Amino acid sequence: MAPFLQVKDLTHIYSQGTPFEHKALDSVSFSVERGEFIGVIGHTGSGKSTLMQHLNGLLKPASGSILLDGQDIWADKKLTRQARFRVGLVFQYPEYQLFEETVYRDIAFGPKNMGLSEAEIDRRVREAAEFVDIADKLEVSPFDLSGGQKRRVAIAGVIAMEPEILILDEPTAGLDPEGREEILQNIESYRKAKNATIMMVSHSMNDVARLTDRLLVMSGSKLAMDD
């Protein structure tokens, strides 16, 4: 049986064919099973964020492939679109991407793009808000919230699409200790409730050691360790 997610010989080159050409990923391969909590670490510029943006089709490989349930996500436009819903990506400092008038509408944006019914959108918004402890803020403007609360709204917006794989790029960056702990508990709650796979990029070795089952170490555009 094929792994749930498989990365095979993935290479990505920025500004290919120009004097600024840079190989950000160099023949990276690994596989992921359902329900795993994987930490991704490495120095700034090692390729972590570039790797994460390939997993849901935001970036296209120069060579190599991303297989989701054994199917190449770039084999067909429908598979690429499905991958963007099945693999949810929360960027670093996602609160800067909030834009709607209310928390409810911001969380509902992703599910609406999926073409779901109003009743299903409502269920997902309220459930996602519960996961991140902001159920009492749905009619508030996201811009009136604290930094930690805005971060949770942004995470809820991805969770509301009910991704099978949730990728988070430095989800606790810039938060105080209480805010950090709340975010990490919210992520773990989602994982347990949905048997979701979590991949978390982090510079916090304490968080990685405490929470993850497995570690991917990026170094110089290559996967240096998977253990």
Side-chain angles (χ1 to χ4, degrees):
M1 190 173 169
F4 178 40
L5 174 71
Q6 194 169 14
V7 176
K8 299 175 75 172
D9 296 320
L10 182 66
T11 295
H12 189 80
I13 302 170
Y14 287 114
S15 305
Q16 192 164 6
T18 77
F20 306 103
E21 185 172 301
H22 167 63
K23 187 177 281 188
L25 296 173
D26 188 359
S27 300
V28 173
S29 297
F30 62 92
S31 60
V32 176
E33 298 299 343
R34 286 186 186 274
E36 282 193 285
F37 197 145
I38 298 173
V40 183
I41 65 169
H43 291 296
T44 300
S46 60
K48 304 184 302 295
S49 295
T50 300
L51 173 60
M52 296 301 105
Q53 289 174 49
H54 278 80
L55 302 184
N56 75 338
L58 279 183
L59 292 178
K60 191 171 186 177
S63 61
S65 54
I66 310 288
L67 306 179
L68 191 56
D69 272 338
Q71 293 183 298
D72 187 333
I73 66 171
W74 286 101
D76 181 286
K77 284 183 180 178
K78 286 182 182 176
L79 292 174
T80 311
R81 178 176 163 79
Q82 286 172 11
R84 289 176 184 154
F85 295 131
R86 296 180 69 188
V87 183
L89 177 57
V90 180
F91 288 98
Q92 197 169 358
Y93 298 107
E95 57 270 26
Y96 295 129
Q97 293 156 42
L98 301 175
F99 62 93
E100 285 283 12
E101 293 174 7
T102 65
V103 168
Y104 184 100
R105 288 174 64 173
D106 228 305
I107 298 173
F109 182 78
K112 278 185 178 175
N113 279 348
M114 296 173 76
L116 302 173
S117 69
E118 286 299 321
E120 179 63 10
I121 291 169
D122 185 69
R123 181 193 70 77
R124 290 187 179 212
V125 169
R126 294 183 187 282
E127 191 172 285
E130 287 284 350
F131 277 125
V132 298
D133 300 321
I134 51 162
D136 60 337
K137 306 288 186 190
L138 289 175
E139 298 310 317
V140 175
S141 166
F143 304 106
D144 292 337
L145 301 178
S146 70
Q149 288 171 327
K150 287 178 181 175
R151 183 81 51 92
R152 284 186 271 165
V153 172
I155 291 173
V158 176
I159 284 176
M161 294 188 285
E162 298 189 351
E164 296 159 72
I165 302 174
L166 179 62
I167 298 172
L168 303 114
D169 195 349
E170 296 282 357
T172 62
L175 298 180
D176 60 32
E178 185 179 357
R180 289 169 62 90
E181 195 54 40
E182 287 173 353
I183 291 285
L184 293 171
Q185 287 176 2
N186 297 153
I187 294 165
E188 188 60 20
S189 295
Y190 179 73
R191 178 198 183 195
K192 287 178 178 174
K194 301 292 184 181
N195 190 32
T197 302
I198 308 292
M199 297 187 72
M200 183 174 77
V201 176
S202 181
H203 280 109
S204 169
M205 293 308 296
N206 285 339
D207 293 344
V208 164
R210 185 163 55 94
L211 293 166
T212 64
D213 308 315
R214 183 171 146 218
L215 204 56
L216 302 178
V217 182
M218 294 296 297
S219 179
S221 308
K222 291 178 178 285
L223 182 61
M225 190 186 91
D226 175 357
D227 208 348

